[in-house]
Amino acid sequence: MSVGLSQERLDAKAKVTGRCRFTGDLALPGTRIAKYLHSNIAHGRVVDIDTTEALAITGVEAVFTFADIPRIPFATAGHAFNLDPAARDKEDRLLLTDYVRYHGDEIAIVVAVDGLTASKALKKSRSLMTVFHHPYQE
């Protein structure tokens, strides 16, 4: 490689034409796709999630809600785990929650044979939530 001279990348044509395959394009046999159902409120409590219509869709293997997942808190700050309990990040998150803290909080997971089926199932999942209003909100 010389200064001032263009070098053609071996994979340039495949990338530009869309023929290049990335690891996200590969699927092993038996691979399943999981997608989150996000809350549509900013602050509240999930009372119930009806998953019967979602589970009836061909290709949906499971739907998990906050009631199905163990309540094991974890930290989300991204720091390395510290053996000293006093120096650890606050473990304040759950995989799925019934206490919604922000718009888009994760309340359920759909597992399906492909992404399209998982997306269809998310649209069929119905959630009933109690909205908590801000004390200064009119």
Side-chain angles (χ1 to χ4, degrees), residues 27-70:
L28 298 173
T31 300
R32 299 297 180 255
I33 300 295
K35 290 195 174 193
Y36 277 109
L37 174 64
H38 299 279
S39 69
N40 57 359
I41 62 171
H43 188 212
R45 178 89 48 198
V46 179
V47 178
D48 185 42
I49 299 177
D50 183 5
T51 61
T52 51
E53 285 186 49
L55 287 167
I57 296 173
T58 304
V60 173
E61 303 224 342
V63 179
F64 299 101
T65 68
F66 63 90
D68 303 316
I69 305 294

Side-chain angles (χ1 to χ4, degrees), residues 47-100:
V47 178
D48 185 42
I49 299 177
D50 183 5
T51 61
T52 51
E53 285 186 49
L55 287 167
I57 296 173
T58 304
V60 173
E61 303 224 342
V63 179
F64 299 101
T65 68
F66 63 90
D68 303 316
I69 305 294
R71 297 181 63 85
I72 302 170
F74 62 93
T76 56
H79 300 131
F81 183 75
N82 195 318
L83 294 176
D84 178 11
R88 288 188 193 153
D89 289 335
K90 181 153 179 60
E91 296 173 343
D92 62 349
R93 295 282 301 153
L94 298 170
L95 184 61
L96 298 174
T97 185
D98 64 331
Y99 178 65
V100 176

